[in-house]
Amino acid sequence: MTEAEWLADSDPYSRLFDLEWLLRSPQRNSSPRKWRLLACGVCRHLAGFVGRAEYVNALEIGEEYADSGNPKDMKRGFGYLEAIRYELEELTLDYAETKATIAIRLGKCALTGNGPQYFVMTVGEMERYSTREYGTDWIESLALTVARCVWGNPFRPMTVDPGWVTSDVTSLSRQMYESRDFSAMPILADALQDAGCDSADVLDHCRGPRPHVRGCWVVDLVLGKE
């Protein structure tokens, strides 16, 4: 995969597959935390298809598990998803092709230790199940959009200048991370710029229209997370 291919919107599944391969390198940031947060970020955009508070609870636990690595968090979140899955199986005979069940299967990616290959394969599997009903590439495109929030441009790894990390920048980043509300990203861009940040990649990401999730590469840089 080239940088131009990564930035293009065509063939999103290939881009995800290439990303998984690219990030195997020990020089790249391919921590289990990032992949779990990617899965959670995708699933948050699918929560409306499930329509259950327990699903959002499971995702919040998955995000906590990404940071803590505590198996108790994994089991607790998995229990929520399994309970919803059993109910859905009783409600529909076409279980594999509902967006709700796709959301649940992807949610499990955030709560297992099977790693990035499992996530990418699950996205591909769900795309095949859902193409007839929902059209092509919808889940893969969503996953790629969230992946770009989590990793930015893997061909241009960024470091943060310590001078940029002011109290305002840190406070804003921590508040968004803990609340899971990233609507203040443009304000973070202003604070970074006031602190001397002149990186177009950083500022454009903060001010861009794309969705932001836990694991956002700019917020992670500020907070020192990997």
Side-chain angles (χ1 to χ4, degrees):
M1 176 174 63
T2 66
E3 182 177 8
E5 288 173 333
W6 169 249
L7 296 174
D9 291 328
S10 59
D11 199 1
Y13 181 69
S14 292
R15 299 292 76 77
L16 287 171
F17 183 85
D18 291 341
L19 175 68
E20 187 273 324
W21 179 84
L22 180 68
L23 293 176
R24 290 180 192 175
S25 165
Q27 287 77 34
R28 307 280 184 173
N29 185 357
S30 184
S31 68
R33 171 183 171 273
K34 283 281 195 180
W35 285 99
R36 288 174 184 144
L37 290 176
L38 168 61
C40 287
V42 172
C43 289
R44 280 191 171 276
H45 288 82
L46 304 178
F49 300 130
V50 181
R52 294 284 297 273
E54 293 91 338
Y55 184 72
V56 177
N57 291 342
L59 297 182
E60 290 181 354
I61 293 169
E63 290 165 343
E64 293 169 6
Y65 175 51
D67 282 330
S68 72
N70 187 337
K72 291 182 179 179
D73 289 336
M74 177 186 70
K75 292 178 181 178
R76 195 157 50 101
F78 212 83
Y80 278 124
L81 294 179
E82 281 295 281
I84 300 171
R85 182 178 70 85
Y86 287 138
E87 290 185 19
L88 288 173
E89 283 183 324
E90 294 178 357
L91 292 173
T92 177
L93 297 176
D94 200 12
Y95 171 77
E97 293 192 0
T98 67
K99 285 188 176 181
T101 52
I102 290 170
I104 290 169
R105 292 192 187 196
L106 288 176
K108 290 181 180 180
C109 294
L111 293 161
T112 64
N114 293 328
Q117 287 178 309
Y118 179 62
F119 174 78
V120 174
M121 286 190 296
T122 302
V123 167
E125 179 185 2
M126 294 302 97
E127 184 70 34
R128 288 191 294 274
Y129 279 135
S130 63
T131 293
R132 185 183 69 197
E133 185 73 18
Y134 308 117
T136 59
D137 291 345
W138 72 274
I139 187 66
E140 296 166 355
S141 296
L142 172 61
L144 181 59
T145 297
V146 177
R148 286 171 173 157
C149 176
V150 171
W151 277 285
N153 185 344
F155 291 91
R156 299 185 187 183
M158 288 288 301
T159 57
V160 65
D161 185 323
W164 301 348
V165 188
T166 63
S167 58
D168 286 345
V169 167
T170 302
S171 176
L172 270 171
S173 298
R174 184 173 293 114
Q175 179 182 352
M176 287 189 288
Y177 191 85
E178 292 177 354
S179 69
R180 301 171 173 85
D181 178 0
F182 291 87
S183 59
M185 288 296 290
I187 301 174
L188 177 61
D190 294 341
L192 283 164
Q193 197 164 30
D194 289 344
C197 174
D198 57 358
S199 167
D201 288 340
V202 170
L203 299 176
D204 289 348
H205 181 75
C206 292
R207 291 172 174 148
R210 70 188 63 199
H212 297 280
V213 298
R214 264 202 180 193
C216 166
W217 66 273
V218 173
V219 173
D220 273 6
L221 274 178
V222 170
L223 297 179
K225 296 181 179 291
E226 297 182 355

